[in-house]
Amino acid sequence: GQNIDQPTEMTATEGAIVQINCTYQTSGFNGLFWYQQHAGEAPTFLSYNVLDGLEEKGRFSSFLSRSKGYSYLLLKELQMKDSASYLCAVRDVITGGFKTIFGAGTRLFVKA
Amino acid sequence: EAGVVQSPRYKIIEKKQPVAFWCNPISGHNTLYWYRQNLGQGPELLIRYENEEAVDDSQLPKDRFSAERLKGVDSTLKIQPAELGDSAVYLCASSLDRSRYEQYFGPGTRLTVT
């Protein structure tokens, strides 16, 4: 089966760097996503990793290690608007296509 | 480009009543998803459509939930009858096709069953 673990909550200070970890177990791994979700809003796509290594996109970077079943999202120069939930999701190969499984999310609080 | 449109945004109903949610995906997107998201949890897939065909409905409680996507564009998700445990946010998402990894989510419908 599939299982995704990420911390429930994290707190960080404006201007700092924060790393949100995600571990997963899946039978047919085909990529890992990070989505951002502000309270009461829809998830929005941040990143996609399918190969090992670091993908950088502005203040956000995402890392993947397939052998360890591990990923992290790195947020630099934190801003108050970064306070949100960050969802780790894994795409699994199933009969007939793919299935995306979401973790419960990590609620990030950015304080002044 | 218009995003995924959902209506209504909020719905309050009494248990045992029926309810329906509507979704209009981004133009040209062949794959459509319905998710349910409970408070403090990630979205859980209910059903996925490739054009008008439901290709993954393994998580859809078929005794009370039904969905359709006529003509491969708009989609409707129905619950009849609703139960207290159905209270959640129902999210619709679309992607260009099943190989495209990025899903675009609509604002969701927040359902409260009393």
Side-chain angles (χ1 to χ4, degrees):
Chain A
Q2 303 100 352
N3 190 48
I4 299 174
D5 288 311
Q6 50 183 133
T8 304
E9 290 185 358
M10 298 183 71
T11 301
T13 305
E14 191 176 20
I17 299 173
V18 71
Q19 178 175 312
I20 303 174
N21 295 323
C22 171
T23 58
Y24 64 88
Q25 292 177 309
T26 184
S27 54
F29 179 82
N30 194 258
L32 186 142
F33 306 83
W34 285 96
Y35 281 82
Q36 180 191 59
Q37 186 175 28
H38 285 99
E41 297 183 12
T44 55
F45 172 82
L46 289 177
S47 67
Y48 173 69
N49 294 68
V50 66
L51 299 176
D52 291 350
L54 187 69
E55 295 277 345
E56 297 186 76
K57 190 185 296 184
R59 294 189 299 114
F60 292 9
S61 302
S62 56
F63 171 83
L64 175 68
S65 170
R66 290 172 296 171
S67 62
K68 296 181 179 179
Y70 168 69
S71 173
Y72 67 73
L73 179 70
L74 193 71
L75 291 75
K76 303 176 185 177
E77 302 170 15
L78 278 174
Q79 302 175 10
M80 299 298 286
K81 67 178 182 178
D82 296 329
S83 293
S85 284
Y86 291 85
L87 301 167
C88 174
V90 172
R91 193 161 81 152
D92 205 15
V93 177
I94 60 171
T95 303
F98 308 99
K99 186 170 187 173
T100 303
I101 311 297
F102 284 83
T106 298
R107 292 182 66 187
L108 175 65
F109 299 93
V110 180
K111 59 181 182 180
Chain B
E1 177 184 89
V4 177
V5 180
Q6 290 188 248
S7 68
R9 291 295 311 277
Y10 305 91
K11 190 74 176 179
I12 301 174
I13 60 171
E14 295 183 346
K15 63 182 180 181
K16 301 184 181 180
Q17 294 301 305
V19 65
F21 315 124
W22 175 80
C23 173
N24 181 241
I26 293 174
S27 178
H29 280 198
N30 297 324
T31 306
L32 183 146
Y33 313 78
W34 281 104
Y35 289 91
R36 176 170 59 190
Q37 187 174 24
N38 292 305
L39 189 64
Q41 300 295 315
E44 174 193 5
L45 181 69
L46 293 175
I47 189 168
R48 173 171 63 95
Y49 282 93
E50 298 293 342
N51 298 301
E52 64 274 9
E53 182 183 1
V55 295
D56 183 358
D57 62 355
S58 57
Q59 299 297 106
L60 190 72
K62 298 182 183 61
D63 56 336
R64 298 183 299 108
F65 286 63
S66 64
E68 61 182 11
R69 191 184 184 196
L70 300 177
K71 301 181 181 179
V73 182
D74 295 5
S75 178
T76 303
L77 178 69
K78 298 178 181 178
I79 308 174
Q80 181 171 12
E83 297 179 353
L84 294 177
D86 296 331
S87 295
V89 175
Y90 291 82
L91 294 164
C92 178
S94 70
S95 60
L96 198 57
D97 57 50
R98 67 178 186 178
S99 67
R100 300 301 179 99
Y101 50 79
E102 183 173 349
Q103 296 181 28
Y104 296 83
F105 284 83
T109 297
R110 182 177 296 276
L111 173 67
T112 302
V113 182
T114 63

